[in-house]
Amino acid sequence: MKKPTKFTEQNQSLPGHQHKMIPVPQVIREDYQGSGKLKDKIALITGGDSGIGKSVAVHFAREGADVAIIYLSEDKDADDTKQLVEKEGRKCLKIKGDLKSENFCKKAFDQCVKELGGVNVLVNNAAVQFPKDKLTSISTKQLQETFETNIFSFFHLTKLAIPQFKAGDCVINTSSVTTYRGSEHLVDYASTKGAIVGFTRSLALMLAKDKIRVNGVAPGPIWTPLIPATFDDIEKFGQDTALGRAGQPSEVAPAYVFLASEDSSYITGQFIHVNGGEIVGG
Ligand code: NAD
Ligand code: MG
């Protein structure tokens, strides 16, 4: 079972060590065929340095989009994402900084517009988690860190994106299976992920008249740097799913491609559950 780890300043930067993960997460299937589904779109992806966000960046590029990635501190991972995106023949703008700061969000958004020419797809994906066994162990500092990163930043960036979005542009938010089934070790994290569901559904209703769609993905156990950085016991990670294993980022990102493309033109306010077969409501 997952054991809680201590919340320290140090383990906030741990998610940067993708290059040390064994096995290395699969970013994209070699045989994944792009077909111009996102031709000449511009996507802004938070947490695009590693894990699911990295995989989304590379899939979007293979589908013809330029991307900007926002990340906290993991320069090596971000460089690697940039290389992979450029290998697809598309641009990748790296933006380093702390999404908890509304001021940074503004600067990052403006830089993306200035250097890539706009934003058509906003992927709110960055998050932190600090497992704790008891409610009383969740400090106010941790609570703030988790809410400011995992949901406040979604408001900051989306508020910037909406005024310049055109019909057909869209928002995709990353939630989690933990919010649908509960998680005894991640009460604060799962609460932010629930807030993301409410945010997504409500914003979808608000923006439908402008033909802007808002959807999300609720991943189950996916092999990313977040996992070894925050859980002690990772041997059995994902084995309690119906498919009996953890998923790879390469198995999650195609859901984002679908939600970003015309293929999902009649879908808004919804979540795709990429979770290895756990049946959840909504
Ligand atoms: P990850 O660690 O690779 O990605 C998260 C990224 O968020 C980090 O790379 C980091 O740069 C960025 N980030 C965190 N705090 C930030 C801040 N203050 N400012 C700027 N950037 C910040 O892990 P991942 O598993 O790919 O996570 C991506 C999303 O998937 C998260 O929303 C996570 O909650 C969600 N998710 C993951 C799993 C899983 O099993 N891996 C399961 C359910 C949901
Ligand atoms: Mg990272």
Side-chain angles (χ1 to χ4, degrees):
M1 196 49 216
K2 296 154 193 167
K3 289 200 202 102
T5 53
K6 284 207 180 81
F7 172 62
T8 65
E9 292 302 325
Q10 263 174 346
N11 71 11
Q12 288 183 51
S13 59
L14 275 173
H17 301 291
Q18 169 143 329
H19 48 291
K20 288 187 195 143
M21 284 185 79
I22 302 167
V24 172
Q26 186 180 51
V27 178
I28 190 166
R29 296 190 329 267
E30 267 172 41
D31 64 357
Y32 180 99
Q33 298 278 341
S35 57
K37 282 187 192 299
L38 305 176
K39 182 103 187 86
D40 295 333
K41 299 264 190 210
I42 301 161
L44 177 58
I45 304 164
T46 70
D49 57 300
S50 60
I52 293 167
K54 178 193 206 88
S55 182
V56 170
V58 176
H59 282 75
F60 279 18
R62 192 164 291 185
E63 294 289 357
D66 290 332
V67 301
I69 58 168
I70 297 179
Y71 66 102
L72 185 57
S73 58
E74 306 95 323
D75 293 319
K76 274 205 176 118
D77 288 345
D79 284 343
D80 187 56
T81 303
K82 184 175 164 75
Q83 268 182 25
L84 292 172
V85 166
E86 288 175 351
K87 234 167 74 184
E88 303 296 332
R90 303 305 309 193
K91 289 186 202 156
C92 181
L93 174 66
K94 292 181 299 166
I95 310 174
K96 179 179 177 174
D98 187 348
L99 288 161
K100 296 196 295 296
S101 156
E102 187 170 7
N103 194 31
F104 166 72
C105 288
K106 170 97 177 85
K107 278 196 202 144
F109 189 83
D110 288 349
Q111 193 184 344
C112 178
V113 171
K114 193 165 160 231
E115 296 191 29
L116 295 182
V119 177
N120 303 114
V121 182
L122 172 63
V123 179
N124 289 308
N125 168 73
V128 290
Q129 64 179 29
F130 307 105
K132 290 282 149 62
D133 264 347
K134 294 193 210 134
L135 192 65
T136 47
S137 304
I138 300 173
S139 66
T140 303
K141 183 169 185 274
Q142 171 173 329
L143 195 62
Q144 267 164 356
E145 174 84 18
T146 306
F147 272 76
E148 284 176 15
T149 308
N150 296 11
I151 176 71
F152 283 23
S153 74
F154 286 33
F155 274 84
H156 300 328
L157 279 180
T158 310
K159 279 169 75 175
L160 294 161
I162 296 313
Q164 61 94 61
F165 264 8
K166 301 179 301 294
D169 293 344
C170 67
V171 181
I172 306 172
N173 299 318
T174 306
S175 180
S176 166
V177 69
T178 58
T179 217
Y180 289 89
R181 68 153 141 75
S183 168
E184 63 187 312
H185 298 295
L186 292 168
V187 174
D188 52 346
Y189 169 85
S191 302
T192 65
K193 294 298 179 179
I196 291 167
V197 175
F199 175 65
T200 302
R201 291 175 174 167
S202 304
L203 200 64
L205 296 177
M206 182 183 273
L207 300 178
K209 65 175 179 334
D210 303 317
K211 301 189 172 53
I212 293 164
R213 296 179 304 106
V214 186
N215 289 294
V217 175
I222 310 300
W223 185 239
T224 73
L226 190 66
I227 302 312
T230 55
F231 292 139
D232 288 336
D233 185 5
I234 53 174
E235 302 270 295
K236 298 205 173 85
F237 182 66
Q239 289 185 6
D240 55 355
T241 61
L243 291 176
R245 62 174 179 86
Q248 290 292 328
S250 62
E251 299 179 292
V252 186
Y256 292 76
V257 170
F258 173 66
L259 292 174
S261 78
E262 271 295 297
D263 291 348
S264 60
S265 54
Y266 198 52
I267 297 177
T268 196
Q270 309 298 322
F271 278 82
I272 299 182
H273 298 279
V274 186
N275 66 18
E278 186 162 342
I279 310 301
V280 290

